[in-house]
Coordinates of all heavy atoms in Angstrom, one line a residue:
Y458 N 14.7 -7.3 -2.2 CA 14.9 -8.8 -2.6 C 14.0 -9.1 -3.8 O 12.7 -8.7 -3.8 CB 14.4 -9.7 -1.4 CG 15.4 -9.6 -0.3 CD1 15.2 -8.5 0.7 CD2 16.4 -10.5 -0.1 CE1 16.1 -8.5 1.8 CE2 17.2 -10.4 0.9 CZ 17.1 -9.4 1.9 OH 17.9 -9.3 3.1
S459 N 14.4 -9.7 -4.8 CA 13.7 -10.1 -6.0 C 13.6 -11.5 -6.2 O 14.6 -12.3 -6.0 CB 14.3 -9.4 -7.3 OG 13.7 -9.9 -8.4
D460 N 12.5 -12.0 -6.7 CA 12.3 -13.5 -6.9 C 11.2 -13.7 -7.9 O 10.4 -12.8 -8.2 CB 11.9 -14.1 -5.6 CG 12.1 -15.7 -5.7 OD1 12.9 -16.1 -6.5 OD2 11.4 -16.4 -5.1
A461 N 11.2 -14.8 -8.6 CA 10.1 -15.3 -9.5 C 10.0 -16.7 -9.4 O 11.0 -17.4 -9.0 CB 10.6 -14.9 -10.9
N462 N 8.8 -17.2 -9.6 CA 8.3 -18.6 -9.6 C 8.0 -19.0 -11.1 O 7.0 -18.6 -11.5 CB 7.3 -18.9 -8.6 CG 7.1 -20.3 -8.4 OD1 8.0 -21.2 -8.8 ND2 6.1 -20.7 -7.7
Y463 N 8.9 -19.7 -11.6 CA 8.8 -20.0 -13.2 C 7.5 -20.8 -13.4 O 7.4 -21.9 -12.9 CB 10.0 -20.7 -13.7 CG 10.0 -21.2 -15.1 CD1 9.8 -20.2 -16.1 CD2 10.2 -22.5 -15.4 CE1 9.8 -20.6 -17.4 CE2 10.0 -22.9 -16.7 CZ 9.8 -22.1 -17.7 OH 9.8 -22.4 -19.1
A464 N 6.7 -20.3 -14.4 CA 5.6 -21.0 -14.8 C 4.7 -21.7 -13.8 O 4.2 -22.7 -13.9 CB 6.0 -22.1 -15.9
S465 N 4.5 -20.9 -12.7 CA 3.9 -21.4 -11.6 C 2.2 -21.5 -11.7 O 1.6 -22.2 -11.0 CB 4.1 -20.7 -10.3 OG 3.9 -19.2 -10.5
C466 N 1.7 -20.6 -12.6 CA 0.3 -20.6 -12.8 C -0.1 -21.8 -13.6 O 0.3 -22.0 -14.8 CB -0.2 -19.3 -13.5 SG -1.8 -19.2 -13.9
R467 N -0.9 -22.7 -13.2 CA -1.1 -23.9 -13.8 C -2.2 -23.6 -15.0 O -2.4 -24.5 -15.8 CB -1.8 -24.9 -12.8 CG -0.8 -25.2 -11.7 CD -1.4 -26.4 -10.8 NE -0.5 -26.8 -9.8 CZ -0.6 -27.7 -9.0 NH1 -1.6 -28.6 -9.1 NH2 0.2 -28.0 -8.0
N468 N -2.9 -22.5 -15.0 CA -3.8 -22.3 -15.9 C -3.2 -21.5 -17.2 O -3.5 -21.8 -18.3 CB -5.0 -21.4 -15.4 CG -5.6 -22.0 -14.2 OD1 -6.0 -23.2 -14.2 ND2 -5.7 -21.3 -13.1
T469 N -2.3 -20.5 -16.9 CA -1.7 -19.8 -18.0 C -0.3 -20.0 -18.2 O 0.2 -19.6 -19.2 CB -1.9 -18.3 -17.7 OG1 -1.2 -18.0 -16.6 CG2 -3.4 -17.9 -17.5
R470 N 0.4 -20.8 -17.4 CA 1.7 -21.1 -17.3 C 2.6 -19.8 -17.3 O 3.7 -19.8 -17.8 CB 2.1 -22.0 -18.6 CG 1.4 -23.2 -18.8 CD 1.2 -24.0 -17.5 NE 2.6 -24.4 -17.0 CZ 2.7 -25.1 -15.9 NH1 1.7 -25.4 -15.0 NH2 4.0 -25.5 -15.6
R471 N 2.1 -18.8 -16.8 CA 2.9 -17.6 -16.6 C 3.5 -17.7 -15.2 O 3.2 -18.4 -14.3 CB 2.1 -16.3 -16.6 CG 1.4 -16.0 -18.0 CD 0.6 -14.8 -18.0 NE 0.0 -14.4 -19.3 CZ -0.7 -13.3 -19.5 NH1 -0.8 -12.4 -18.7 NH2 -1.2 -13.3 -20.7
S472 N 4.7 -17.0 -15.1 CA 5.4 -16.9 -13.8 C 4.9 -15.8 -12.9 O 4.2 -14.9 -13.3 CB 6.9 -16.7 -14.2 OG 7.4 -17.6 -15.0
V473 N 5.3 -15.9 -11.6 CA 4.9 -14.8 -10.7 C 6.2 -14.2 -10.1 O 7.1 -14.8 -9.8 CB 4.1 -15.5 -9.5 CG1 3.9 -14.6 -8.4 CG2 2.9 -16.2 -9.8
S474 N 6.1 -12.8 -10.3 CA 7.2 -11.9 -9.8 C 6.9 -11.5 -8.4 O 5.8 -11.3 -8.0 CB 7.3 -10.8 -10.7 OG 7.7 -11.1 -12.0
G475 N 7.9 -11.2 -7.7 CA 7.7 -10.7 -6.3 C 9.0 -10.0 -5.8 O 10.1 -10.3 -6.2
Y476 N 8.7 -8.9 -5.0 CA 9.8 -8.3 -4.4 C 9.5 -7.8 -3.0 O 8.2 -7.6 -2.7 CB 10.3 -7.1 -5.3 CG 9.3 -5.9 -5.5 CD1 8.9 -5.1 -4.3 CD2 8.9 -5.6 -6.7 CE1 8.0 -4.0 -4.5 CE2 8.0 -4.5 -6.8 CZ 7.6 -3.7 -5.8 OH 6.7 -2.7 -5.9
V477 N 10.5 -7.5 -2.2 CA 10.3 -7.0 -0.8 C 11.4 -5.9 -0.7 O 12.6 -6.2 -1.0 CB 10.4 -8.1 0.3 CG1 10.6 -7.4 1.6 CG2 9.3 -9.1 0.2
F478 N 11.0 -4.8 -0.1 CA 12.0 -3.8 0.2 C 12.0 -3.5 1.6 O 11.0 -3.4 2.2 CB 11.7 -2.4 -0.6 CG 12.2 -2.5 -2.1 CD1 11.4 -3.0 -3.1 CD2 13.5 -1.9 -2.3 CE1 11.9 -3.0 -4.4 CE2 14.0 -2.0 -3.6 CZ 13.1 -2.6 -4.7
L479 N 13.2 -3.3 2.1 CA 13.4 -3.0 3.6 C 14.4 -1.8 3.7 O 15.3 -1.6 3.0 CB 14.0 -4.2 4.4 CG 13.3 -5.5 4.3 CD1 14.2 -6.6 3.9 CD2 12.6 -5.8 5.6
L480 N 13.9 -0.9 4.7 CA 14.8 0.2 5.1 C 15.4 -0.1 6.3 O 14.7 -0.1 7.4 CB 14.0 1.6 5.1 CG 14.8 2.8 5.6 CD1 15.9 3.1 4.6 CD2 13.8 4.0 5.7
N481 N 16.8 -0.4 6.5 CA 17.3 -0.9 7.6 C 16.7 -1.9 8.4 O 16.4 -1.9 9.7 CB 17.6 0.4 8.6 CG 18.8 1.2 8.1 OD1 19.1 1.3 7.0 ND2 19.5 1.8 9.0
G482 N 16.1 -2.8 7.7 CA 15.5 -4.1 8.3 C 14.0 -3.9 8.5 O 13.4 -4.8 8.9
C483 N 13.5 -2.6 8.2 CA 12.1 -2.5 8.4 C 11.3 -2.6 7.0 O 11.6 -1.8 6.0 CB 11.7 -1.2 9.0 SG 12.6 -0.8 10.5
A484 N 10.3 -3.4 6.9 CA 9.7 -3.7 5.7 C 8.9 -2.4 5.2 O 8.1 -1.8 6.0 CB 8.7 -4.8 5.6
I485 N 9.0 -1.8 4.0 CA 8.3 -0.7 3.5 C 7.4 -0.9 2.3 O 6.6 -0.2 2.1 CB 9.3 0.5 3.1 CG1 10.5 0.1 2.2 CG2 10.0 1.0 4.4 CD1 11.4 1.1 1.8
S486 N 7.7 -2.0 1.5 CA 6.8 -2.3 0.4 C 7.1 -3.8 0.0 O 8.2 -4.4 0.2 CB 7.0 -1.4 -0.8 OG 8.3 -1.6 -1.4
C487 N 6.1 -4.3 -0.7 CA 6.1 -5.7 -1.2 C 5.2 -5.8 -2.4 O 4.3 -5.0 -2.6 CB 5.8 -6.7 -0.1 SG 4.0 -6.7 0.4
L488 N 5.5 -6.8 -3.2 CA 4.7 -7.0 -4.4 C 4.6 -8.5 -4.8 O 5.6 -9.1 -4.7 CB 5.2 -6.1 -5.6 CG 4.5 -6.5 -7.0 CD1 3.1 -5.7 -7.0 CD2 5.3 -5.9 -8.1
S489 N 3.4 -8.9 -5.2 CA 3.3 -10.3 -5.7 C 2.4 -10.1 -6.9 O 1.3 -9.7 -6.8 CB 2.6 -11.2 -4.8 OG 2.5 -12.5 -5.3
K490 N 2.9 -10.4 -8.1 CA 2.2 -10.1 -9.4 C 2.5 -11.2 -10.4 O 3.7 -11.5 -10.6 CB 2.7 -8.7 -9.9 CG 1.9 -8.2 -11.1 CD 2.3 -6.9 -11.5 CE 1.7 -6.4 -12.8 NZ 2.1 -5.2 -13.3
K491 N 1.5 -11.6 -11.2 CA 1.7 -12.5 -12.3 C 2.4 -11.7 -13.4 O 1.9 -10.5 -13.7 CB 0.3 -13.1 -12.7 CG 0.5 -14.2 -13.7 CD -0.8 -14.7 -14.3 CE -1.7 -15.3 -13.2 NZ -2.9 -15.9 -13.7
Q492 N 3.3 -12.3 -14.2 CA 3.9 -11.6 -15.3 C 3.0 -11.5 -16.4 O 2.1 -12.3 -16.6 CB 5.2 -12.4 -15.6 CG 6.3 -12.3 -14.4 CD 7.6 -13.0 -14.8 OE1 7.6 -13.5 -15.9 NE2 8.5 -13.0 -13.9
N493 N 3.2 -10.5 -17.2 CA 2.4 -10.1 -18.3 C 2.5 -11.2 -19.5 O 1.6 -11.1 -20.4 CB 2.7 -8.7 -18.8 CG 2.4 -7.6 -17.9 OD1 1.4 -7.8 -17.0 ND2 3.1 -6.6 -17.8
S494 N 3.5 -11.9 -19.6 CA 3.8 -12.8 -20.7 C 4.4 -14.1 -20.2 O 4.9 -14.2 -19.1 CB 4.6 -12.3 -21.8 OG 5.9 -11.8 -21.3
V495 N 4.2 -15.2 -21.0 CA 4.8 -16.4 -20.6 C 6.3 -16.4 -20.8 O 6.8 -16.0 -21.9 CB 4.2 -17.5 -21.6 CG1 4.9 -18.9 -21.2 CG2 2.7 -17.5 -21.3
S496 N 7.1 -16.8 -19.8 CA 8.5 -16.9 -19.9 C 8.9 -18.2 -20.4 O 8.3 -19.2 -20.1 CB 9.2 -16.6 -18.5 OG 8.8 -15.3 -18.0
T497 N 10.0 -18.2 -21.2 CA 10.5 -19.5 -21.9 C 11.6 -20.1 -21.0 O 12.0 -21.2 -21.4 CB 11.0 -19.2 -23.2 OG1 12.1 -18.2 -23.3 CG2 9.8 -18.7 -24.1
S498 N 12.0 -19.6 -20.0 CA 13.0 -20.1 -19.1 C 13.0 -19.5 -17.8 O 12.5 -18.5 -17.5 CB 14.5 -19.9 -19.8 OG 14.8 -18.6 -19.7
T499 N 13.6 -20.2 -16.8 CA 13.7 -19.6 -15.5 C 14.6 -18.3 -15.5 O 14.2 -17.3 -14.7 CB 14.4 -20.7 -14.6 OG1 13.6 -21.9 -14.6 CG2 14.4 -20.1 -13.1
T500 N 15.6 -18.2 -16.3 CA 16.4 -17.0 -16.3 C 15.6 -15.9 -16.8 O 15.6 -14.7 -16.2 CB 17.6 -17.2 -17.3 OG1 18.5 -18.3 -16.9 CG2 18.4 -16.0 -17.5
K501 N 14.7 -16.0 -17.9 CA 13.9 -14.9 -18.2 C 13.0 -14.6 -17.2 O 12.7 -13.4 -17.0 CB 13.2 -15.4 -19.6 CG 12.4 -14.1 -20.1 CD 11.7 -14.5 -21.5 CE 10.9 -13.4 -21.9 NZ 10.0 -13.6 -23.0
S502 N 12.4 -15.4 -16.6 CA 11.3 -15.0 -15.5 C 11.9 -14.3 -14.4 O 11.4 -13.2 -13.9 CB 10.6 -16.3 -15.0 OG 11.5 -17.1 -14.3
E503 N 13.1 -14.7 -14.0 CA 13.8 -14.0 -12.9 C 14.3 -12.7 -13.3 O 14.4 -11.6 -12.6 CB 15.1 -14.9 -12.5 CG 14.7 -16.2 -11.7 CD 14.4 -16.0 -10.2 OE1 14.5 -15.0 -9.8 OE2 14.0 -17.0 -9.7
Y504 N 14.7 -12.5 -14.6 CA 15.3 -11.3 -15.2 C 14.0 -10.3 -15.3 O 14.2 -9.1 -15.1 CB 15.7 -11.6 -16.6 CG 16.6 -10.4 -17.1 CD1 17.8 -10.0 -16.5 CD2 16.3 -9.8 -18.3 CE1 18.5 -9.0 -17.1 CE2 17.0 -8.8 -18.9 CZ 18.1 -8.4 -18.3 OH 18.9 -7.4 -18.7
M505 N 12.9 -10.8 -15.6 CA 11.7 -9.9 -15.7 C 11.3 -9.5 -14.3 O 11.0 -8.3 -14.1 CB 10.5 -10.7 -16.4 CG 10.8 -10.9 -17.9 SD 9.6 -12.1 -18.5 CE 8.0 -11.2 -18.4
A506 N 11.4 -10.2 -13.4 CA 11.1 -9.9 -12.0 C 12.2 -8.9 -11.4 O 11.8 -7.9 -10.7 CB 11.1 -11.2 -11.0
L507 N 13.4 -9.0 -11.9 CA 14.5 -8.2 -11.5 C 14.2 -6.7 -12.0 O 14.5 -5.7 -11.4 CB 15.8 -8.7 -11.9 CG 17.1 -8.1 -11.2 CD1 17.0 -8.2 -9.8 CD2 18.3 -8.9 -11.9
A508 N 13.8 -6.7 -13.2 CA 13.4 -5.4 -13.9 C 12.4 -4.7 -13.1 O 12.3 -3.4 -12.9 CB 13.0 -5.6 -15.3
T509 N 11.3 -5.4 -12.7 CA 10.2 -4.8 -11.8 C 10.8 -4.3 -10.5 O 10.5 -3.2 -10.2 CB 9.1 -5.9 -11.6 OG1 8.7 -6.3 -12.8 CG2 8.0 -5.3 -10.7
T510 N 11.7 -5.1 -9.9 CA 12.2 -4.7 -8.6 C 13.1 -3.4 -8.9 O 13.1 -2.5 -8.0 CB 13.0 -5.7 -8.1 OG1 12.2 -7.0 -7.9 CG2 13.6 -5.4 -6.7
A511 N 13.9 -3.4 -9.9 CA 14.7 -2.3 -10.3 C 13.9 -1.0 -10.4 O 14.3 0.1 -10.0 CB 15.6 -2.6 -11.4
R512 N 12.8 -1.0 -11.1 CA 11.9 0.1 -11.3 C 11.5 0.7 -9.9 O 11.4 1.9 -9.6 CB 10.7 -0.1 -12.1 CG 11.1 -0.5 -13.6 CD 9.9 -0.6 -14.5 NE 10.1 -0.9 -15.9 CZ 10.3 -2.1 -16.4 NH1 10.1 -3.2 -15.6 NH2 10.7 -2.3 -17.5
Q513 N 11.1 -0.2 -9.1 CA 10.7 0.2 -7.6 C 11.9 0.8 -7.0 O 11.6 1.8 -6.2 CB 10.0 -1.0 -6.8 CG 9.6 -0.6 -5.5 CD 8.4 0.2 -5.4 OE1 7.7 0.5 -6.5 NE2 8.0 0.7 -4.4
A514 N 13.0 0.2 -7.1 CA 14.3 0.8 -6.4 C 14.6 2.2 -7.0 O 14.8 3.1 -6.0 CB 15.4 -0.1 -6.7
L515 N 14.4 2.4 -8.3 CA 14.5 3.7 -8.8 C 13.5 4.8 -8.3 O 13.9 5.9 -8.0 CB 14.5 3.7 -10.3 CG 15.1 5.0 -11.1 CD1 16.7 4.9 -10.7 CD2 14.8 4.8 -12.5
C516 N 12.3 4.2 -8.0 CA 11.3 5.2 -7.5 C 11.7 5.6 -6.2 O 11.5 6.7 -5.7 CB 9.9 4.3 -7.6 SG 8.7 5.3 -6.7
Y517 N 12.2 4.6 -5.3 CA 12.7 5.1 -3.9 C 13.9 6.0 -4.1 O 14.0 6.9 -3.2 CB 13.1 3.9 -3.1 CG 12.0 3.1 -2.6 CD1 11.8 1.8 -2.8 CD2 11.0 3.8 -1.8 CE1 10.7 1.1 -2.3 CE2 9.9 3.2 -1.4 CZ 9.8 1.9 -1.6 OH 8.6 1.1 -1.0
I518 N 14.8 5.8 -4.9 CA 15.9 6.7 -5.1 C 15.6 8.1 -5.4 O 15.9 9.1 -4.9 CB 16.9 6.1 -6.2 CG1 17.5 4.8 -5.7 CG2 18.0 7.1 -6.6 CD1 18.3 4.2 -6.8

Side-chain angles (χ1 to χ4, degrees):
Y458 293 87
S459 174
D460 193 28
N462 192 10
Y463 173 61
S465 59
C466 179
R467 300 188 180 186
N468 303 311
T469 63
R470 306 312 297 174
R471 294 185 184 182
S472 306
V473 174
S474 297
Y476 67 64
V477 171
F478 277 89
L479 303 130
L480 175 63
N481 280 32
C483 302
I485 53 177
S486 69
C487 64
L488 175 74
S489 180
K490 182 182 179 181
K491 190 187 295 186
Q492 294 181 356
N493 295 329
S494 59
V495 177
S496 301
T497 55
S498 65
T499 303
T500 298
K501 182 180 178 181
S502 66
E503 294 277 359
Y504 194 63
M505 292 168 66
L507 197 55
T509 303
T510 308
R512 290 187 181 92
Q513 181 68 10
L515 197 65
C516 177
Y517 281 128
I518 292 171

